[in-house]
Amino acid sequence: MKLTVFLLLRAAPGWLQLGRKERGRVADTALGGLKSLGVTLRYFDAEAFSARCSDVAMIETDDPKDYYFAMESLRDSPLIAKGYFEVVDIIPAFEDGFRAYEAAHAV
């Protein structure tokens, strides 16, 4: 089963104080290397709709180890290490997990 993890993130004032080109450079450097770790990443803006988080990252992988390594890489990146973003919540999930269970157990 493919593991999907939703990272709820909140942008810090320091991130917003950077110019848009600098934000793009920092983000591209931090997120660009994640693909080589066996995960796919999708990124969603939420600040106009939520006070809890400003952004949602969706990471998908077939191997939980790849997710773990991606998180270590992300934590070491300036996005987290310099405090540009705070991880508000981590929500792991399996898409249609109940269907996989039912198929495996002939419910």
Side-chain angles (χ1 to χ4, degrees):
M1 291 173 54
K2 185 177 292 281
L3 174 64
T4 303
V5 179
F6 298 92
L7 300 176
L8 279 58
L9 305 166
R10 183 179 302 125
W15 177 255
L16 300 174
Q17 292 170 358
L18 295 176
R20 289 191 179 267
K21 284 186 180 180
E22 180 64 6
R23 283 190 236 166
R25 187 192 66 73
V26 171
D28 289 347
T29 300
L31 302 175
L34 295 184
K35 290 180 183 178
S36 69
L37 298 174
V39 301
T40 59
L41 173 74
R42 292 175 59 191
Y43 203 76
F44 303 86
D45 291 318
E47 66 271 357
F49 308 101
S50 173
R52 181 175 180 201
C53 66
S54 60
D55 302 87
V56 177
M58 185 179 90
I59 298 174
E60 291 182 308
T61 184
D62 292 320
D63 186 343
K65 178 187 71 164
D66 293 340
Y67 161 73
Y68 182 85
F69 288 176
M71 285 302 295
E72 286 294 326
S73 177
L74 188 58
R75 289 182 51 199
D76 288 345
S77 79
L79 290 177
I80 303 299
K82 288 194 173 188
Y84 290 137
F85 282 87
E86 172 191 0
V87 178
V88 175
D89 205 351
I90 300 172
I91 303 170
F94 291 105
E95 184 175 11
D96 290 331
F98 72 97
R99 292 186 198 280
Y101 174 81
E102 289 171 356
H105 292 88
V107 173

